[in-house]
Amino acid sequence: MTSSSLNSDDPCFDGDGKWATKLLRECARAINDRDSSKIQHLLWMLNELASPYGDSQQKLASYFLQALFCKATQTGQRFYMNLKSASEKNQSFDSARKMILKFQEVSPWTTFGHVASNGAILEAFLEAGGEKNKKKKLHIIDISNNTSTFCTQWPTFLESLATKSSDHVETPQLKLTIVLVKESLKGSVMNEICQRMEKFARLMRVPFEINMINGVEHLWKVTKEELGIVVEEEDNDDDDEVFIAVNCVGGLRRVEEGERGNVIGILKSLSPRIVTIVEEESGGSDDSCITRNDDDDFVKCFEECLRFYKIYFEMLEESFPTISNEKLMLERECSRNILVDLGCNNNNNNDSDHNKRERGVEWSMRFREYFTPIGLSDDVVDDVRALLKRYNRSGWSLMLPSSKVEGIYLKWRDQPVLWASAWKP
Amino acid sequence: MTTEPPPMPLSGEEAATLSALDLETAPQPPAPPLKKKRNLPGMPDPDAEVIALSPKTLLATNRFVCEICNKGFQRDQNLQLHRRGHNLPWKLRQRATKEVRKRVYVCPEPSCVHHNPSRALGDLTGIKKHFCRKHGEKKLKCERCSKKYAVQSDWKAHMKTCGTREYRCGCGTLFSRRDSFVTHRAFCDALAEESAKAQTLSTDDKDGVGAGVTAASSSSPPQPPLTPSTSVVSPTLSIQSSEIPENATRLSPPTTCVAKAVTTSTVLATVLASSAGAAAPSTTSFPNVTAATSLSLSVPLYLSNNVNDLRHHYTACPQPSTTAALSATALLQKAAQMGAASSNTSLLRGLGLATSSTGYHPQDESGIDNPIMQWNMSSHVKQENPSLADHNLGLGLPCGDPGFADVMMGSPPMTRDLLGLGIGGNGGDNVSRGGLSALLTSFGGNFDSSGDAGGVRHQ
């Protein structure tokens, strides 16, 4: 079969101009059906038309093409490892910092979860009983996707802690244990972050300690000993009481589906007084996104991915200026996530990075086995509202919990995109 | 609640005699050793009469009642104005001829520092506001930033400036949002090079409400000496602090600012100038700093003694080569602590905590030996101008791109493998070699040749 030339008679150009969406869908279907000639044809077309610098359809094509290609050729795992090591090699504190700070400036995508979690943790901590003359100590175990967000949650937390605890006789002590699961940060980047956090804490006059645990392979296997200090604190009989909080922003969906229950159990065993969870609102409820060789599963998975990432790319497009290096970096990072979600076939791999996405409702069900939900207080909700107001784009809104759901949702153009909730044992 | 007499008309001449009835307790003020012309806040005139009102009386809005028609007024002047309208005979019209003793008020809340007569406040409105602020429920909330207030005037004052305030980082970037500023600050190179910069969280607005003050007001009554100084000084200091570290050429404006800062002789100014001056390598621009270092902190206003102790604490703190970073936030932190506690011990304890906590590493700062610091410094030097001029443009190519292409080039096995595998592995028979290789080469070629095609990524 020869490579066909594109002509405007091609049905994919009909209608609403969403040619990439159509082509990608057809390609996913073809992969599912194992129609290799069709796959080849579609991949070729997509390759011709796609561009990471083009309009939203071109970008969509470009970033999904990668994943589909890998899925079709079953090279996802290897490709992902290459990309991962390449990105780690090229990781630079400065470029990463620039990217994430700019992102937070133009979009509340990450800060939504931070504000909600920080508010919940701080409130719970300050309200926690305890005698007045005992020193207050807070230990936060952060199991978030920090290779994307670089601990940017914590400076504002430090500032709030310093300000809001001014009624207390002493500023409480804060210890932060950052657990990096699967992904890891380059040593120098880790050092930079730790150093700067320490200095900033000094500036805020908060007694502070930070610990980074790099490259934990499997969260369900992590022990209290690995997390170190936790054990000592529990046995601590002296005057100081330690308030343990677990913060998990985007960290759970990286856990293999089968192990998620165990992981939540592990979290429970750390005896936290509060657990804050933030996850992207994506995934099917009963659809399985794990690609076994089942028919249609892949297509369903693909559809959901397409839906969600389309929103994400649109959001990036709207939030950033047209030409933006940071936007490009984020898009690339995102396409790596797409690769993980779609392109990695777990047929032969025991250690697949492929993760099924779950929505807030499903996470809630899992959490209910070990924890009780805490509603986010009015103050915290007001803080989140105030945050959204600060962003000029009016596409952002807040969805409050109804009787059926826990937590709060961030919506972009009326689509729920992020979910934040708090739990206690 | 003990029975208390109904609020009595407090026209001037009757005030002295009736005040006894208002008292729940009538402690006599102990005579402090010093007699000052102008009373420091919370240290009242020893001759003053101490009045302790119950919370209910304190918060009563219409304390001044006309004896004729029983109409209530918030202010004595308004009551007098009203009384004129009753055409009183001249005898009753006069106010008290005898001198009314100065009155000071104590806070009804027993655990409060101002409950003690020696720390009574001289102004009735002041004690009312204090009581609401510290012991009252905060019913008013700012929409923009969710800050809560009990006193309406505080809230209104905040609403005026919230959102209009600007924050300038030591690196020169300007922010309109506090949260962006804080996050930026924590990771900024300016922070890393503490030894070279003054740390300020300054404001640019001239409304007279500086960052330190506004924040302080939420946790303790704004201390008057701090208010004007912050507002006057901060704009100038913001310029000086932001521009000093960057280029020598930029230092000319700051010199005038420094002079201005010192001549206003506010403690805040000298504090920040001194930390800047002691720290900056380019100390030549701060001729007045040495004089200023004698006043190390604005906090001495609250701490009557122990200034020297604090200074020693600070010099012992972070870097050997600098005085402590004294941002407005840090100051408000201290101010807040001071507002809560009557003594300075909490601050010292706080400092003690800071210096002796397990996580504290004074060694970090002597960063010259630290290769990472060196790397950081050099990269900062490189980025000086771009970071100033183009901060928001995100200029500066992503690092490592040249290297990246190499990595990609380094994995041509991918292409070869793909050619070997064929699509799907099992459909190979139907695929013409020519078409497949053409596709794969073009596809794989994209990955190899340019660093940017289809999903090449780095962080």
Side-chain angles (χ1 to χ4, degrees):
Chain A
M1 165 168 164
T2 54
S3 3
S4 33
S5 55
L6 295 165
N7 55 10
S8 46
D9 288 347
D10 202 299
C12 80
F13 292 117
D14 288 345
D16 56 7
K18 305 269 192 218
W19 54 267
T21 319
K22 292 197 180 97
L23 283 178
L24 290 168
R25 272 201 184 109
E26 282 196 40
C27 192
R29 169 73 42 194
I31 291 174
N32 202 50
D33 298 341
R34 299 164 147 255
D35 183 345
S36 27
S37 62
K38 197 172 179 194
I39 294 172
Q40 179 194 343
H41 171 66
L42 288 165
L43 283 179
W44 182 88
M45 282 179 76
L46 284 165
N47 191 37
E48 285 293 303
L49 299 169
S51 164
Y53 305 112
D55 64 21
S56 64
Q57 285 290 297
Q58 283 177 295
K59 280 185 181 171
L60 213 55
S62 169
Y63 293 123
F64 270 89
L65 175 57
Q66 170 90 66
L68 289 177
F69 183 83
C70 288
K71 174 71 181 169
T73 54
Q74 297 186 19
T75 51
Q77 192 61 26
R78 189 184 325 137
F79 207 86
Y80 176 69
M81 296 308 292
N82 282 334
L83 287 173
K84 191 167 144 179
S85 59
S87 85
E88 270 175 41
K89 240 191 235 176
N90 295 315
Q91 221 174 43
S92 121
F93 177 74
D94 281 335
S95 65
R97 170 185 63 175
K98 232 184 219 177
M99 178 188 81
I100 185 63
L101 288 185
K102 184 69 183 175
F103 187 29
Q104 293 184 341
E105 203 183 296
V106 301
S107 164
W109 189 273
T110 52
T111 44
F112 164 78
H114 293 175
V115 169
S117 301
N118 285 348
I121 293 175
L122 194 57
E123 234 174 49
F125 173 63
L126 292 177
E127 278 173 20
E131 301 158 31
K132 281 256 167 169
N133 52 0
K134 276 195 185 170
K135 255 191 295 192
K136 285 197 126 184
K137 280 185 174 176
L138 174 59
H139 181 190
I140 299 180
I141 303 172
D142 184 20
I143 317 178
S144 303
N145 185 9
N146 274 309
T147 45
S148 289
T149 50
F150 301 94
C151 301
T152 45
Q153 178 171 354
W154 305 115
T156 40
F157 183 83
L158 275 165
E159 198 231 359
S160 291
L161 184 65
T163 328
K164 287 189 184 164
S165 65
S166 57
D167 292 343
H168 298 225
V169 176
E170 305 175 9
T171 321
Q173 295 184 21
L174 172 63
K175 179 157 114 164
L176 197 51
T177 301
I178 312 274
V179 182
L180 295 164
V181 185
K182 290 227 168 116
E183 308 252 358
S184 59
L185 286 177
K186 220 156 110 179
S188 60
V189 175
M190 258 171 53
N191 278 339
E192 278 298 332
I193 296 177
C194 286
Q195 275 182 11
R196 287 175 198 227
M197 291 292 294
E198 280 167 353
K199 285 176 189 168
F200 185 70
R202 273 196 289 278
L203 190 67
M204 291 291 115
R205 299 285 179 260
V206 176
F208 179 72
E209 183 186 336
I210 181 169
N211 241 340
M212 265 210 206
I213 303 180
N214 213 351
V216 170
E217 204 39 48
H218 298 294
L219 193 53
W220 76 83
K221 284 187 197 161
V222 84
T223 56
K224 282 195 222 167
E225 285 72 33
E226 268 182 79
L227 291 177
I229 321 282
V230 183
V231 179
E232 294 169 26
E233 283 170 348
E234 281 190 339
D235 299 338
N236 211 349
D237 280 333
D238 61 22
D239 281 340
D240 305 334
E241 36 174 280
V242 183
F243 184 102
I244 298 179
V246 171
N247 180 76
C248 195
V249 174
L252 283 180
R253 67 180 162 87
R254 303 173 150 263
V255 176
E256 286 81 357
E257 198 208 2
E259 295 300 334
R260 284 171 186 175
N262 292 342
V263 166
I264 299 177
I266 297 270
L267 295 186
K268 173 97 190 230
S269 72
L270 301 176
S271 318
R273 305 275 286 273
I274 182 173
V275 180
T276 47
I277 307 289
V278 177
E279 282 294 337
E280 287 174 356
E281 184 67 0
S282 157
S285 42
D286 42 21
D287 301 352
S288 165
C289 275
I290 293 185
T291 55
R292 301 184 185 88
N293 285 326
D294 295 337
D295 290 353
D296 275 11
D297 273 351
F298 177 71
V299 176
K300 283 187 199 153
C301 193
F302 171 81
E303 287 290 336
E304 173 55 23
C305 265
L306 187 62
R307 181 199 73 85
F308 183 76
Y309 284 110
K310 202 146 152 294
I311 299 175
Y312 183 72
F313 282 123
E314 252 170 48
M315 183 273 299
L316 288 182
E317 196 63 46
E318 288 284 316
S319 307
F320 279 94
T322 322
I323 311 277
S324 160
N325 239 4
E326 289 81 18
K327 181 173 67 168
L328 213 53
M329 287 164 70
L330 284 164
E331 287 168 351
R332 287 177 187 156
E333 185 185 316
C334 182
S335 73
R336 195 170 70 163
N337 291 336
I338 298 177
L339 177 63
V340 168
D341 280 347
L342 282 184
C344 293
N345 196 329
N346 68 347
N347 272 342
N348 304 318
N349 299 326
N350 300 326
D351 186 12
S352 168
D353 277 323
H354 182 103
N355 296 312
K356 172 192 169 182
R357 288 170 166 268
E358 290 182 36
R359 296 190 190 228
V361 176
E362 296 158 289
W363 289 117
S364 289
M365 282 188 335
R366 288 189 186 272
F367 266 85
R368 275 187 187 278
E369 289 182 47
Y370 296 92
F371 294 96
T372 332
I374 312 176
L376 293 173
S377 75
D378 287 341
D379 281 348
V380 174
V381 172
D382 281 344
D383 282 344
V384 176
R385 277 212 187 94
L387 173 78
L388 297 188
K389 270 197 205 139
R390 295 201 274 273
Y391 291 94
N392 293 330
R393 309 291 172 185
S394 53
W396 301 106
S397 62
L398 186 60
M399 183 161 93
L400 291 178
S402 65
S403 57
K404 287 180 275 179
V405 295
E406 305 299 338
I408 58 176
Y409 290 84
L410 176 68
K411 286 170 119 181
W412 165 251
R413 295 194 170 155
D414 262 355
Q415 303 248 39
V417 288
L418 283 167
W419 172 71
S421 65
W423 303 79
K424 66 178 179 192
Chain B
M1 182 151 147
T2 59
T3 51
E4 58 167 4
M8 303 287 283
L10 286 178
S11 54
E13 62 208 320
E14 298 161 7
T17 50
L18 290 173
S19 63
L21 295 176
D22 272 357
L23 296 179
E24 293 204 351
T25 61
Q28 292 306 308
L34 301 169
K35 262 192 192 178
K36 293 186 174 61
K37 195 74 180 162
R38 177 175 177 260
N39 298 327
L40 290 179
M43 297 214 215
D45 182 347
D47 289 340
E49 176 185 5
V50 179
I51 307 214
L53 301 170
S54 74
K56 194 171 168 204
T57 324
L58 191 59
L59 296 176
T61 44
N62 294 339
R63 295 184 56 244
F64 302 96
V65 184
C66 174
E67 68 264 31
I68 299 171
C69 60
N70 258 338
K71 186 163 173 176
F73 295 90
Q74 290 201 19
R75 285 191 185 146
D76 188 46
Q77 302 99 299
N78 299 351
L79 171 66
Q80 297 310 320
L81 214 61
H82 159 84
R83 283 173 80 235
R84 282 196 223 153
H86 284 305
N87 292 320
L88 300 167
W90 73 269
K91 226 196 288 183
L92 294 174
R93 193 180 297 183
Q94 310 284 16
R95 296 196 59 168
T97 46
K98 72 169 189 183
E99 288 289 315
V100 184
R101 282 171 72 198
K102 168 136 178 80
R103 285 199 220 142
V104 293
Y105 303 88
V106 290
C107 178
E109 170 64 32
S111 65
C112 181
V113 63
H114 292 292
H115 188 68
N116 187 327
S118 66
R119 298 297 305 277
L121 299 178
D123 178 46
L124 180 62
T125 317
I127 195 77
K128 272 179 168 177
K129 285 191 175 175
H130 156 81
F131 182 69
C132 288
R133 261 186 218 122
K134 284 313 272 305
H135 314 296
E137 192 190 333
K138 294 186 179 167
K139 293 188 190 137
L140 299 159
K141 193 167 195 176
C142 170
E143 268 216 346
R144 274 189 223 113
C145 65
S146 299
K147 227 175 187 178
K148 281 183 153 170
Y149 295 94
V151 179
Q152 195 183 33
S153 54
D154 292 345
W155 177 72
K156 278 196 176 164
H158 169 84
M159 292 296 283
K160 262 195 207 166
T161 61
C162 183
T164 64
R165 218 189 306 162
E166 284 182 327
Y167 307 85
R168 191 184 290 270
C169 178
C171 68
T173 328
L174 201 57
F175 295 88
S176 59
R177 278 170 36 200
R178 190 179 176 92
D179 53 350
S180 320
F181 171 57
V182 167
T183 318
H184 164 92
R185 195 74 176 62
F187 291 109
C188 185
D189 290 330
L191 184 70
E193 298 195 35
E194 250 173 27
S195 57
K197 300 181 175 69
Q199 312 297 334
T200 60
L201 291 174
S202 312
T203 68
D204 277 341
D205 72 306
K206 312 255 193 269
D207 285 350
V209 184
V213 173
T214 311
S217 67
S218 66
S219 49
S220 64
Q223 301 294 328
L226 192 52
T227 315
S229 67
T230 315
S231 61
V232 169
V233 168
S234 53
T236 63
L237 276 176
S238 72
I239 302 167
Q240 116 194 349
S241 64
S242 63
E243 304 204 345
I244 278 146
E246 304 305 347
N247 291 317
T249 53
R250 289 172 178 270
L251 286 176
S252 37
T255 47
T256 54
C257 294
V258 171
K260 191 169 161 189
V262 175
T263 50
T264 54
S265 67
T266 57
V267 180
L268 185 58
T270 54
V271 151
L272 293 168
S274 71
S275 59
S282 51
T283 45
T284 48
S285 58
F286 296 93
N288 304 313
V289 164
T290 47
T293 46
S294 58
L295 292 173
S296 52
L297 297 165
S298 68
V299 187
L301 287 173
Y302 310 100
L303 317 171
S304 48
N305 18 5
N306 290 13
V307 173
N308 293 330
D309 289 351
L310 282 171
R311 205 160 17 116
H312 292 152
H313 252 290
Y314 274 103
T315 49
C317 257
Q319 306 83 2
S321 57
T322 68
T323 54
L326 289 163
S327 63
T329 297
L331 287 166
L332 89 85
Q333 169 68 2
K334 286 192 290 290
Q337 287 173 337
M338 285 311 103
S342 59
S343 71
N344 49 29
T345 51
S346 65
L347 173 61
L348 294 180
R349 243 181 293 142
L351 288 176
L353 265 177
T355 52
S356 65
S357 72
T358 49
Y360 187 83
H361 304 297
Q363 301 316 313
D364 281 348
E365 281 19 273
S366 52
I368 313 297
D369 298 327
N370 186 339
I372 293 180
M373 276 298 290
Q374 267 182 324
W375 173 82
N376 196 40
M377 277 177 169
S378 61
S379 73
H380 171 78
V381 166
K382 253 193 305 187
Q383 288 178 348
E384 257 182 323
N385 292 321
S387 78
L388 276 181
D390 304 315
H391 188 89
N392 290 327
L393 280 186
L395 273 192
L397 299 169
C399 306
D401 250 353
F404 194 90
D406 287 341
V407 173
M408 291 313 298
M409 292 284 207
S411 54
M414 240 190 316
T415 316
R416 289 202 286 275
D417 280 345
L418 292 171
L419 281 173
L421 275 179
I423 292 183
N426 45 6
D429 292 336
N430 297 335
V431 177
S432 106
R433 277 281 152 188
L436 181 56
S437 348
L439 167 67
L440 292 173
T441 348
S442 71
F443 197 67
N446 273 346
F447 288 120
D448 281 355
S449 53
S450 81
D452 291 336
V456 161
R457 57 204 62 79
H458 75 90
Q459 280 179 310

